[in-house]
Amino acid sequence: MIYLKEIRLNELPEETSYLADLPVVKNLVRSGGIEFSKPVSFIAGENGSGKSTLLEAISIALGFNPEGGSRDFLFSTKDSHSELYQLITTIRAAHAKDGFFSKSRKFLQYSKLS
């Protein structure tokens, strides 16, 4: 089942923002958005291309905690997310009952604990 059908860029980031220079944002500007037509999508690119920034923005726009976790897992230590989530709209195909957002750097922190 596909839960997220599409994301659209509503407005451009400020020219002085680092977001304006990210390849993923430049692609969103060019294309207007991304359509998801399969249950699994791969987002690939070089370091610094904005993959994590995009996934984080989508997750926040869908109601997840910016620091990771479920929708009900609300805490904040230090805001480190971009404002990209404010510039996009998510179009859902279905409503998920639950979900989880995990950041790779959090995984690295957890793996160092064990």
Side-chain angles (χ1 to χ4, degrees):
M1 175 175 269
I2 297 173
Y3 293 102
L4 182 62
K5 182 177 172 182
E6 184 179 354
I7 61 165
R8 292 185 189 151
L9 187 64
N10 294 330
E11 62 182 274
L12 301 176
E14 294 183 20
E15 288 182 29
T16 56
S17 171
Y18 78 96
L19 291 173
D21 293 326
L22 288 178
V24 73
V25 174
K26 288 180 180 181
N27 183 55
L28 285 172
V29 169
R30 233 182 353 265
S31 66
I34 300 171
E35 289 185 32
F36 300 97
S37 59
K38 305 285 182 188
V40 176
S41 299
F42 294 92
I43 298 176
E46 295 185 22
N47 289 342
S49 62
K51 302 176 302 290
S52 295
T53 302
L54 176 64
L55 291 174
E56 180 179 75
I58 292 169
S59 296
I60 295 168
L62 290 173
F64 290 95
N65 186 346
E67 295 194 36
S70 68
R71 286 191 190 105
D72 298 326
F73 196 57
L74 302 175
F75 71 92
S76 179
T77 56
K78 179 182 174 191
D79 284 346
S80 62
H81 55 281
S82 75
E83 67 275 4
L84 182 58
Y85 75 97
Q86 297 171 334
L87 307 178
I88 64 170
T89 295
T90 56
I91 295 109
R92 301 173 196 203
H95 229 322
K97 292 180 182 176
D98 60 5
F100 196 88
F101 170 52
S102 179
K103 295 175 114 174
S104 59
R105 65 177 159 253
K106 291 289 183 188
F107 176 77
L108 291 173
Q109 289 174 343
Y110 297 143
S111 66
K112 290 179 183 177
L113 294 174
S114 52

